Every structure is written in structure tokens, then in C-alpha cells.
Amino acid sequence: MKRTEIATVLKEEKIGEKILIKGWVKAFRSNRFIQVNDGSTINNIQAVLDFENTDEATISKINTAAAVSISGELIASEGKGQRVELIIEQIEILGEANPEEVSKTVMQPKKHSLEFLREQAHLRFRTNTFGAVFRIRHGVSFAIHKYFNDKGYFYIHTPIITGSDAEGAGEMFRVTNLDAKNPPLKDDGSVDWSEDFFGKETNLTVSGQLEAELAAMALGKVYTFGPTFRAENSNTARHLSEFWMIEPEVAFNDLNDNMDLAEDFLSYICKYILENFADDVAFLNEREIQEQKSKPQNERNELTLIERLNFVIANDFERITYTRAIEILHNSKPYKKKKFKYPVEWGIDLQSEHERFLVEKEFKKPVIITDYPASFKAFYMRQNEDGKTVAAMDILFPGIGEIIGGSQREERLEVLKEKCAAFNIAEEDVWWYLDTRKFGTAPHAGFGLGFERMVMFVTGMTNIRDVIPFPRTPKKAEF
Amino acid sequence: MKRTEIATVLKEEKIGEKILIKGWVKAFRSNRFIQVNDGSTINNIQAVLDFENTDEATISKINTAAAVSISGELIASEGKGQRVELIIEQIEILGEANPEEVSKTVMQPKKHSLEFLREQAHLRFRTNTFGAVFRIRHGVSFAIHKYFNDKGYFYIHTPIITGSDAEGAGEMFRVTNLDAKNPPLKDDGSVDWSEDFFGKETNLTVSGQLEAELAAMALGKVYTFGPTFRAENSNTARHLSEFWMIEPEVAFNDLNDNMDLAEDFLSYICKYILENFADDVAFLNEREIQEQKSKPQNERNELTLIERLNFVIANDFERITYTRAIEILHNSKPYKKKKFKYPVEWGIDLQSEHERFLVEKEFKKPVIITDYPASFKAFYMRQNEDGKTVAAMDILFPGIGEIIGGSQREERLEVLKEKCAAFNIAEEDVWWYLDTRKFGTAPHAGFGLGFERMVMFVTGMTNIRDVIPFPRTPKKAEF
């Protein structure tokens, strides 16, 4: 007999059918009811054991975390908590689990700290919470590919190892296979990178945008979805050293098109997850409600997870310029009462406290801030007519902060060259990027979505380390 | 007016409608017919210029590679080569292109060597061949995600930066941000990796399999799709230093299930591309036919690209054991005539010449070779009852060689520990991997598909550097 997945069994409810399931024991109670899960769904199937007619050796091995193979007949359940159950005809223990050892792991069904779960990242997939998180992570990823594919975008794999450092998005990791202790040196005593694997100094990419632009200026609509890296020593709940990013880039789009795309895209993901991962979302929604109970009233979320997802789907994002944002902050209560830690002044980047005020207090919804001062934005962002600001946009989400950063790109060769000079970027380092402005340049725009931040938003998890299977952070590269 | 993509215009053929298109000039002839392409399809739209009533300055800028915005009425075409054409009412030059400079690039419409095209990887997206290749590359990628998603697999992002080197699949790149010239040293004079970013020596991953197994032993059916790396100095048409790999891993699957999955999966991809990228495949099919004409008869492909794709869909793969493969080779003409360069002997790995004989001469179809000697396969492959061989499988494709390598995994803790000892893998380095065999172990199996090799197969391209946007190979990390 071929194995049926538990998700299928529970969905189809074919009463009277003989089936074979395989999975792991989640619980065994009253010497009769075995809860089995195979990862295909958060829901367990209840298998009913004929205790009298099962040999003792087998029964002694039906422990939490053991792998079992069970065949029998599916019947309507009269018990509470499940609509069907499986009357066991044959049970085989595929893999044992020693109860004492299991009790030291996260598989023991009780409340564990997220820190403890992270230390056992290899086993946390087996818990309800992380099963749900990683099924949803898959769902977000598929929704992204499906959204772009259905709209005629082409997925571009931009390079991970790069010899270019023009992006300037942050500190980079070096990729090398020179001798670590005694690297070859040039006459002047500096390291001779020409001897390295790629014949020059190379790093891990911080963004695929520049390369994506090259593709967009030929294929029209493209997106990247790949790992990016930051060698920054920031140990926060919102930062990873290795994370995934999605970067659509569209020829002929301006900043408004870019905002429309981003908003539609984010709504689509929320809708897709609500529709396709309802059980997992319901579980995480309930989990959050329970968690919130232990928090002081003023720290609790105003909306539940499901309400927040529906809110993004139902409401337009607020769109304001940076200049307007500064005005609003100047007129705000916390500013007047000197509650902001950092200064609020035109020309200075917004701090987290300012963004949170705008999103969580002033507008109470996602906010798109546009047209930032050129001084603290990247060289490739399109200069506005005022000469001071650029056609940039950041999207801020409640509880998450910046989830998307993007811009219309500078398509005018002469302006771009001036920007390179101002940013100390040598033209010979970006000749290939400048070339696209020489041969049929056109307006174009794009943005970057931090994948893990999006997964945080749709799962309600509050630490970014809990939405990626094996987090990489300063001093941590386990598994 | 909103822009309509050329793919949509040509598909819908809404005669009489006013439309706006944007794209790049591919050709301009008779001062009248402009071929425009926007990357959404390999097909151009013909836009018809009213020469008399267009100002000279504009006309002088309608050059190959220039970006244009054109509005007008769509009419049925009476000319050959297109069913509809666009009568220009307004034309705007968005970005000029200097004809003399364009003539030095791959955008000049004439035959260029693939080497020259590679040097201009930033512009080759604009050529017909590479436009087709990269649209299809997207298609293969989406087909892969769709195949697994529709079958209930979960996509797992395994780490790119890894502190584990148990896989042993090949030479690794080091990831570091220690000072390159004067790294911190320990008392014994060796490099003090504890001072590095992750507190230990880290590398770029060669495979996500071990981590995927951890997820499969909880979520049931998972797959990876991410970049992998080899710091090997091999300058061949089949190797890259950075390439993408897909690795499904399935709990409760044995080697037969694994072969069934791989075969179904590869057929699905071929079918998906034939159905969804017919125009691009037709173009590449014709391109190959023309290319073949310049080759001696005996070096030409027996089947066209389209025939090869249909062949994979229509035919079961040949499944033979390694032992049987050796027998066949011993009985072959080239062996008897001493034409093989490398020895054929039980216990020695098969060389490319042997694989090619089996695939291209003996069976003339894809071949799955199973049950290899344990001696040259990885430590995690399941030991067969004969004690000599392991439950491995390699899939060989005509013209490509190995496209898939996989196995049933060793699920028995004691046997796996013996294997670790035999392969000099310290148990403390893989404690997390061994743990899955301690807590409810179960049979499971998986494989790795080299993504670029698959793209080579479905595009007919013969150099792997021509199916990835920006290839990384020894001494090459441009763009």
C-alpha cells in the first residue's frame, strides 16, 4: 500500500478506506490514542490502538518523537477534537526515541524558550510553532514567485560572489582561498589579490540590484530572489548576517508605478497566506494571543495577527514625502514634549522611534515615505527637480519597521556620472552599469523586500532568527 | 495611456485598438519599418513610421538599441512576417544609441562568438539568443517551484555560509573578515579563527543536503534551491565556481521512490518549457540546426532540441546497477578494441567516456545508474546488504553527463557512526545530523539537480557559462 499524507487524509475524509500513514508520535495517551504528525499539516491524526492485541515490545516503543508506520481503516470519530480517526490494524516502529533523551529536547511537548529552540534549530522543525513558521515561509516564497511569474516577470539569478563594491549597502564578507596566514604579497607589501581564485578581491553580495537593472534594460520586467550578506556586528532581533532579498526591477516604471507595484505585491502575499495556510496562521494567531496575555496592557498588539494581515489587504498604504514626514514629526506630541531621543531635522535620516511614531501612532497603517534627501541615499537614485531630494521610497510596517526600500533609478548618463564622482565611485569600476545608460537608456525603477521581515510579519514572530531555518549572526554559524 | 507589453499585443491582436508600447529598436529599414522589442517575448512588433510627417531630429535617432515610446493604432499587417503592425501616431526617443558605438557591441545584429558575448554579459540579454535563454531559465526555475509546491513540498533555505565541512563534496571558498595580511594568531602561530566574524572558520556551502535532511525529518517533503560553490580550478564547459542546485529530500522514500521522483520531475520540466516557452524554444531549435550545419556529420546531434525534449517526456529512463554497467562496458566494442582511455574495473568510478558510451551509444536515452561501490561515494549514503555497495543513483543525460546525483540516506545510527569513523568525520562535528537518527529515524532519500545543467539541456546551449547571467569561473568574477 502507498503512504497517504496526513494533510490529504484529513482533507479528504474518506471514511471506510484502508490507508497507510507514516509519521512521528506527538503524544500517546490512555494506552490507546496515538497522535501522529508527518509535517504535511499542523494537524495530527488520531490513531487508535488495540492495546490488548498489540505486543508489549511494540507498545513500549510508542513514545513521543518515535517514527511509526500505521495502516488501518479510517472512521468517523466520536471523540472531541477530530472528525476522523484511524483504527490501527498494523503498527510498525520505524525509529525509536528514548523518552529520557527526548525530555531534554524541544520535542518534549511543553513550553520552551525561543532561545532554547534556537540552540536546537535542527529539531525545532518538529515543534508546532516552527512547523507552522516554516510551512508559511515556503508559502511566502511561492507566493512571490507566482506573483511575478503570473505578471510576466523573469527571475534573474544575480551573482553571490562579486568583485564589485559599488552598491555601498554595508560591510561585506571577503571570499578567498588564499593562504590565511601567509597570503602572497606584492612588492609594496600589500596582499596580492591577483593570486586569489578570481584574480581579484571578491566579496559576498549585498544586493543584486545593479545586475538586475542590466537584465531589466533588456527583458523589461525582472526580479531577483537570493541570499544577501552584511558583515555588521549588530545583534538585534531585526538583523541577520545572511538573509534573503527580493528585488524587482522594471524598465519604463517611475516612482509611482514602483509604489503601486510594491503595495499590490505585499497585499497579494498576505492574501495568499491567509487563503492557503489558514491552519498554520490560525495556530500562530492563537499562540500570539496567549503570549500577549503575559505582557502589560500598553505593550500588547492592538490587532491580532489575522487582523493585521487583513488590514494590509483592505487598506491603502499612506504615501507621504520625507519633507511632509518631518513636518508631522515637528508637530507631534512626543517632539513637543521632547520624548524623541534623536533630533528631527530636515536632512537627517529618520530613526526607528520616528518611523514607529508615524506608522503606529499617526497613521496606524503601513506608510510609504518618498523623496528623501539625496545626502543619505545611494548614488543610483534618481535626482528630483528640486536638486536636493531623490526619487526614493521606503515602506514601513507596524512592528517591523522598514520592509521595503526602493527608488526610481537615475537613467541620465551625465547625472549618473556626476553622482559617481560625488560618491567616489570610479567610472571604470561601474563601466558596465553606465553602459546601460549609453545604449537606449530609459526610466526604470525597483525595490528590495527583506524576505525574513516579510515572514516575520505574516507569522507574527518577533525575532528574525526564528523565521530562518539556520540563522547566521555575529559569532553564530551553527549547523 | 498605460503601456501594453509587446507579448500581450501580439497575443491578443486587438485590431483597431490604440496602444502605447515602449521598448528598444532592433532594426529600422526603408525609413519606414521599426522593429521594436521590449523583452517580454522574442518576437518584435513592427511599427510603421509616417516618414514625411516625422521631424528629422527624431528620425535621425531611430537607431538600433535606442529606447522608444510609440503610440498608435494596431492594424492587420499585409506584409510578410507579422500578423499585426502598429501605425505610429506618436514616437518619442527615450534613450539614444550611437550607431558607431553600438556597432562595437553584441547588440549589432550579426553573428558574434559566444566568447565575445560573454565579455559583454551586461548587454547580451539584449540579443535574441540570450533573451530566449534567460526567459527559459526563468521558466525552468518556476517549473521547479511549481512542481514541488503542487506536490506539497516545502522550500527550505539552507545556509550559504557554513561552519560545517562534513559534506566533502569539493574544495570550498573561505568566508572571512579577518585582516587579510595580518590575521590574529594563536600562541602556536596558527590563525585564531575564534576572532573571525562567526567565531570560527567558515566557508561557502557545497550542498544544502544535510540541513535539508533535518527539515525533511519533520516536515516530510522538502526541497532546497540555492547557490552552491566549488573552489576548483576546472575550466571546462560544464563547470562553474558558483552555480544553483535543487535538492529535494523526502522522509519515508527509498531509492526506488527517489528514482520515480527524479524521472517525473525532469519530464515535468521539459513539458512545462515546451508548453510555456514555445517561441523561445523554436528560436533556439532553429539556431542549433543552423549551428550544426557547420559541423562534420559525425559530430552532429541525432535529434533536434525539440526532439530531445519530447524524447525525455515520452521515454522511461534506463535503470541499471553499477555492476551491470561494468558488465556492459566489458562487453562493448570500444572496450574490446581498447578505445577507452581509462580502465573499466569494478570498484573504479566511471569516467565521462564510459558514461557517454552507455547513454549515447548503448541505450540512446537518459540512464540511471544505481548501487555504486561505497568506496567513492559519500558517507551518508545507505549501505546495501551486500556490504560493498550503497543505495546511490546518478542520472546521466545525453550531451550533458551527470545531471542528478542522489541516494537513499543511511538512517541507521550505528551504521552511520561507523561510516563517520571510516570517513574521518568527527561525531562532534555532525552531532546535529546524528541526532535525527536518534529521535525517530526513518528511511529517507533525496537528490541534487544541477540547475544550470538542466538549463543547458532545455536550451541546447553547450557551454554552462552561457546559461547563467554572470558566470563565476577561475580568474573571472566580472560585473
Side-chain angles (χ1 to χ4, degrees):
Chain A
M1 200 175 352
K2 245 181 106 70
R3 162 172 100 96
T4 309
E5 282 177 75
I6 292 170
T8 310
V9 174
L10 297 180
K11 193 177 156 200
E12 299 186 345
E13 296 186 350
K14 290 191 177 159
I15 305 296
E17 205 177 35
K18 300 268 180 187
I19 57 169
L20 169 68
I21 61 152
K22 296 182 182 182
W24 293 275
V25 175
K26 297 285 277 192
F28 181 32
R29 60 186 172 79
S30 314
N31 277 333
R32 195 164 148 72
F33 302 108
I34 314 174
Q35 301 295 328
V36 184
N37 188 284
D38 66 3
S40 60
T41 160
I42 194 158
N43 301 307
N44 305 325
I45 191 162
Q46 175 158 294
V48 185
L49 187 75
D50 181 353
F51 184 78
E52 304 300 322
N53 294 305
T54 308
D55 66 281
E56 240 172 272
T58 299
I59 292 174
S60 72
K61 292 174 189 161
I62 305 175
N63 298 310
T64 297
V68 292
S69 169
I70 295 175
S71 59
E73 186 184 336
L74 196 70
I75 65 160
S77 175
E78 290 178 6
K80 267 191 187 167
Q82 65 279 324
R83 295 160 51 89
V84 295
E85 58 191 22
L86 178 60
I87 303 301
I88 299 176
E89 284 166 16
Q90 271 204 317
I91 177 166
E92 185 194 342
I93 310 293
L94 298 174
E96 299 179 39
N98 179 315
E100 208 196 306
E101 297 213 45
V102 169
S103 75
K104 296 175 207 149
T105 74
V106 297
M107 293 180 294
Q108 184 73 2
K110 64 172 185 187
K111 198 161 164 53
H112 304 284
S113 75
L114 290 169
E115 288 72 21
F116 182 58
L117 280 147
R118 243 168 263 148
E119 279 165 29
Q120 296 195 356
H122 64 307
L123 299 176
R124 67 179 177 168
F125 294 111
R126 289 251 197 121
T127 65
N128 286 335
T129 297
F130 286 92
V133 166
F134 290 117
R135 276 187 295 270
I136 290 177
R137 184 179 165 109
H138 159 78
V140 176
S141 161
F142 189 72
I144 290 166
H145 283 298
K146 184 167 160 54
Y147 178 84
F148 286 123
N149 181 74
D150 291 357
K151 288 201 180 316
Y153 286 68
F154 304 109
Y155 180 26
I156 298 290
H157 290 108
T158 50
I160 311 302
I161 299 172
T162 170
S164 128
D165 62 354
E167 164 71 16
E171 287 293 309
M172 298 196 286
F173 290 105
R174 194 165 64 249
V175 175
T176 179
N177 69 356
L178 290 183
D179 187 283
K181 196 181 156 188
N182 296 305
L185 301 178
K186 291 195 288 191
D187 289 347
D188 68 1
S190 64
V191 173
D192 185 1
W193 296 110
S194 72
E195 301 251 329
D196 208 350
F197 190 89
F198 293 107
K200 59 167 150 178
E201 192 171 357
T202 50
N203 300 288
L204 289 178
T205 184
V206 292
S207 160
Q209 178 203 313
L210 302 192
E211 291 89 354
E213 281 188 56
L214 306 179
M217 294 308 282
L219 301 173
K221 300 193 296 189
V222 304
Y223 70 105
T224 74
F225 188 164
T228 47
F229 306 85
R230 296 284 185 284
E232 275 152 27
N233 208 349
S234 43
N235 260 307
T236 83
R238 291 173 56 217
H239 292 90
L240 290 167
S241 308
E242 171 182 314
F243 57 100
W244 288 66
M245 192 147 66
I246 296 95
E247 298 178 285
E249 192 70 38
V250 187
F252 314 117
N253 263 12
D254 63 17
L255 189 65
N256 268 316
D257 300 323
N258 208 30
M259 286 191 279
D260 291 345
L261 173 65
E263 209 173 319
D264 186 57
F265 173 56
L266 294 174
S267 300
Y268 177 90
I269 294 171
C270 294
K271 201 157 171 239
Y272 183 91
I273 295 303
L274 276 178
E275 284 173 5
N276 292 280
F277 291 84
D279 289 349
D280 289 313
V281 172
F283 175 84
L284 293 174
N285 192 64
E286 185 56 32
R287 177 187 174 277
E288 190 183 89
I289 289 168
Q290 295 308 322
E291 282 241 325
Q292 295 272 309
K293 286 182 183 162
S294 64
K295 287 189 176 175
Q297 192 75 41
N298 64 343
E299 286 179 22
R300 293 186 196 169
N301 292 329
E302 288 182 33
L303 302 177
T304 67
L305 171 61
I306 292 175
E307 286 167 348
R308 295 196 299 275
L309 294 176
N310 279 316
F311 188 86
V312 167
I313 297 167
N315 291 279
D316 287 343
F317 298 1
E318 190 69 31
R319 298 182 183 189
I320 56 168
T321 64
Y322 167 88
T323 303
R324 175 82 190 117
I326 295 290
E327 280 172 20
I328 293 169
L329 291 168
H330 275 160
N331 292 322
S332 71
K333 260 194 204 153
Y335 180 78
K336 290 179 177 164
K337 290 187 173 175
K338 301 198 191 318
K339 295 270 176 165
F340 286 137
K341 202 173 143 201
Y342 293 92
V344 176
E345 205 178 310
W346 201 100
I348 290 179
D349 204 358
L350 300 176
Q351 297 296 320
S352 176
E353 57 177 355
H354 310 137
E355 295 179 348
R356 290 192 62 172
F357 172 79
L358 293 168
V359 171
E360 291 163 25
K361 303 292 171 197
E362 177 74 14
F363 295 110
K364 295 182 185 251
K365 61 169 156 171
V367 174
I368 312 184
I369 302 182
T370 63
D371 304 293
Y372 283 85
S375 54
F376 56 80
K377 288 291 184 182
F379 80 100
Y380 50 73
M381 296 193 178
R382 193 177 197 277
Q383 195 173 292
N384 286 330
E385 303 232 322
D386 62 16
K388 297 186 304 183
T389 61
V390 288
M393 64 176 216
D394 281 0
I395 302 187
L396 312 174
F397 259 34
I400 308 283
E402 184 190 325
I403 197 163
I404 274 183
S407 73
Q408 185 170 339
R409 316 308 185 187
E410 184 54 76
E411 88 280 16
R412 295 161 296 185
L413 183 61
E414 288 315 311
V415 184
L416 189 56
K417 282 182 171 178
E418 283 165 27
K419 278 304 211 41
C420 284
F423 279 75
N424 277 319
I425 296 168
E427 288 187 23
E428 56 265 36
D429 287 347
V430 287
W431 63 272
W432 44 274
Y433 186 67
L434 297 176
D435 259 11
T436 53
R437 275 68 173 172
K438 271 168 70 178
F439 300 109
T441 191
H444 60 289
F447 60 80
L449 167 71
F451 180 66
E452 280 76 16
R453 293 199 180 165
M454 189 67 202
V455 179
M456 286 171 78
F457 184 74
V458 296
T459 58
M461 301 301 283
T462 52
N463 191 315
I464 199 165
R465 298 165 199 214
D466 295 327
V467 298
I468 190 166
F470 303 100
R472 267 70 183 113
T473 55
K475 301 293 171 200
K476 292 269 182 205
E478 297 303 317
F479 311 104
Chain B
M1 203 176 350
K2 246 183 103 74
R3 162 172 99 96
T4 309
E5 282 177 74
I6 293 172
T8 310
V9 175
L10 298 179
K11 194 177 156 201
E12 299 185 347
E13 296 185 351
K14 290 190 178 162
I15 304 297
E17 206 176 35
K18 299 268 179 186
I19 56 169
L20 169 68
I21 62 152
K22 295 182 183 184
W24 293 275
V25 175
K26 298 285 276 191
F28 181 32
R29 61 186 170 78
S30 315
N31 276 333
R32 197 164 146 73
F33 301 109
I34 314 174
Q35 301 294 328
V36 184
N37 189 283
D38 67 2
S40 60
T41 160
I42 194 161
N43 301 307
N44 305 325
I45 191 162
Q46 175 159 296
V48 185
L49 188 74
D50 182 354
F51 184 76
E52 304 302 320
N53 294 305
T54 309
D55 67 282
E56 240 173 89
T58 300
I59 292 174
S60 72
K61 292 174 188 161
I62 306 175
N63 297 309
T64 296
V68 291
S69 170
I70 295 175
S71 59
E73 186 184 337
L74 196 70
I75 65 161
S77 174
E78 291 180 3
K80 269 190 186 168
Q82 65 281 325
R83 295 161 50 91
V84 295
E85 58 191 22
L86 179 60
I87 302 301
I88 299 176
E89 284 165 16
Q90 271 203 315
I91 177 165
E92 187 194 340
I93 309 294
L94 298 173
E96 298 180 40
N98 178 315
E100 207 197 304
E101 296 212 48
V102 169
S103 74
K104 296 176 206 150
T105 74
V106 297
M107 291 181 294
Q108 183 73 3
K110 64 173 188 190
K111 200 164 163 53
H112 304 284
S113 75
L114 290 169
E115 288 73 20
F116 182 57
L117 280 147
R118 242 169 264 146
E119 280 165 29
Q120 297 197 353
H122 64 308
L123 298 176
R124 66 179 178 169
F125 293 111
R126 290 250 197 122
T127 66
N128 285 334
T129 297
F130 286 92
V133 165
F134 291 117
R135 276 187 295 271
I136 290 177
R137 183 178 165 109
H138 159 78
V140 175
S141 161
F142 189 71
I144 289 165
H145 283 298
K146 184 168 160 55
Y147 178 86
F148 286 123
N149 181 74
D150 292 356
K151 288 201 180 317
Y153 286 68
F154 303 109
Y155 180 27
I156 297 289
H157 290 108
T158 50
I160 311 300
I161 299 173
T162 170
S164 128
D165 62 354
E167 164 72 14
E171 287 294 309
M172 298 195 285
F173 289 104
R174 193 165 66 249
V175 175
T176 179
N177 69 355
L178 288 184
D179 187 282
K181 197 181 155 188
N182 297 305
L185 301 178
K186 291 195 288 192
D187 290 345
D188 68 1
S190 65
V191 173
D192 185 1
W193 296 112
S194 73
E195 299 252 329
D196 208 349
F197 189 90
F198 294 107
K200 58 166 149 176
E201 192 172 358
T202 50
N203 301 289
L204 289 178
T205 184
V206 292
S207 159
Q209 178 202 314
L210 302 192
E211 290 90 354
E213 281 187 57
L214 306 179
M217 294 309 281
L219 301 174
K221 301 193 295 191
V222 304
Y223 70 106
T224 74
F225 188 164
T228 47
F229 305 85
R230 295 285 184 283
E232 273 152 29
N233 207 348
S234 44
N235 260 305
T236 82
R238 290 173 56 217
H239 292 89
L240 290 168
S241 307
E242 170 181 314
F243 57 99
W244 288 67
M245 192 146 68
I246 295 95
E247 298 177 286
E249 192 70 38
V250 188
F252 312 117
N253 264 13
D254 63 17
L255 189 64
N256 268 316
D257 300 322
N258 209 29
M259 287 192 277
D260 291 345
L261 173 65
E263 210 173 318
D264 186 56
F265 173 55
L266 294 174
S267 301
Y268 176 89
I269 295 172
C270 295
K271 202 157 169 240
Y272 183 90
I273 295 302
L274 276 178
E275 284 174 4
N276 293 279
F277 291 83
D279 290 348
D280 289 313
V281 171
F283 174 84
L284 293 172
N285 192 64
E286 184 56 32
R287 176 188 174 278
E288 189 183 271
I289 289 169
Q290 295 307 324
E291 281 241 324
Q292 294 272 308
K293 284 182 183 162
S294 65
K295 287 190 176 174
Q297 192 74 43
N298 65 344
E299 286 179 23
R300 295 186 195 169
N301 291 330
E302 287 182 33
L303 301 177
T304 67
L305 172 60
I306 292 176
E307 286 167 348
R308 295 198 299 276
L309 294 176
N310 278 314
F311 188 87
V312 167
I313 298 167
N315 290 279
D316 287 343
F317 299 0
E318 190 69 32
R319 299 182 183 189
I320 57 170
T321 64
Y322 166 88
T323 303
R324 175 80 191 118
I326 295 289
E327 280 173 22
I328 293 169
L329 289 169
H330 275 160
N331 291 322
S332 71
K333 261 194 202 154
Y335 180 79
K336 288 178 178 164
K337 290 188 174 174
K338 301 195 193 317
K339 297 269 178 170
F340 285 138
K341 201 172 145 202
Y342 293 92
V344 175
E345 207 177 307
W346 201 100
I348 291 179
D349 203 357
L350 299 178
Q351 297 295 321
S352 176
E353 57 178 356
H354 309 138
E355 295 180 348
R356 291 193 61 172
F357 171 81
L358 292 167
V359 172
E360 291 163 24
K361 303 291 171 196
E362 178 75 13
F363 294 112
K364 295 181 186 251
K365 61 170 158 170
V367 175
I368 311 183
I369 303 181
T370 64
D371 302 294
Y372 283 84
S375 53
F376 57 80
K377 288 290 184 185
F379 79 100
Y380 52 72
M381 296 192 178
R382 191 176 198 278
Q383 194 172 293
N384 286 328
E385 303 233 322
D386 62 16
K388 295 187 304 182
T389 61
V390 288
M393 65 175 215
D394 281 359
I395 303 189
L396 311 174
F397 259 34
I400 309 283
E402 184 189 326
I403 196 162
I404 274 181
S407 73
Q408 186 171 338
R409 316 307 187 187
E410 184 55 76
E411 89 280 14
R412 295 161 296 188
L413 182 61
E414 288 316 311
V415 184
L416 190 56
K417 282 182 172 179
E418 283 164 26
K419 278 304 213 40
C420 285
F423 280 74
N424 278 318
I425 296 168
E427 287 186 24
E428 56 266 35
D429 288 345
V430 287
W431 62 273
W432 44 275
Y433 186 68
L434 297 175
D435 258 11
T436 53
R437 275 67 174 173
K438 271 168 71 179
F439 299 109
T441 192
H444 59 289
F447 60 80
L449 167 70
F451 180 64
E452 280 76 16
R453 293 197 181 167
M454 190 66 201
V455 180
M456 287 172 78
F457 184 73
V458 296
T459 58
M461 302 300 284
T462 52
N463 190 316
I464 199 165
R465 297 165 199 213
D466 296 327
V467 299
I468 189 166
F470 303 100
R472 267 70 181 109
T473 54
K475 302 292 172 199
K476 292 267 180 206
E478 298 303 319
F479 312 106

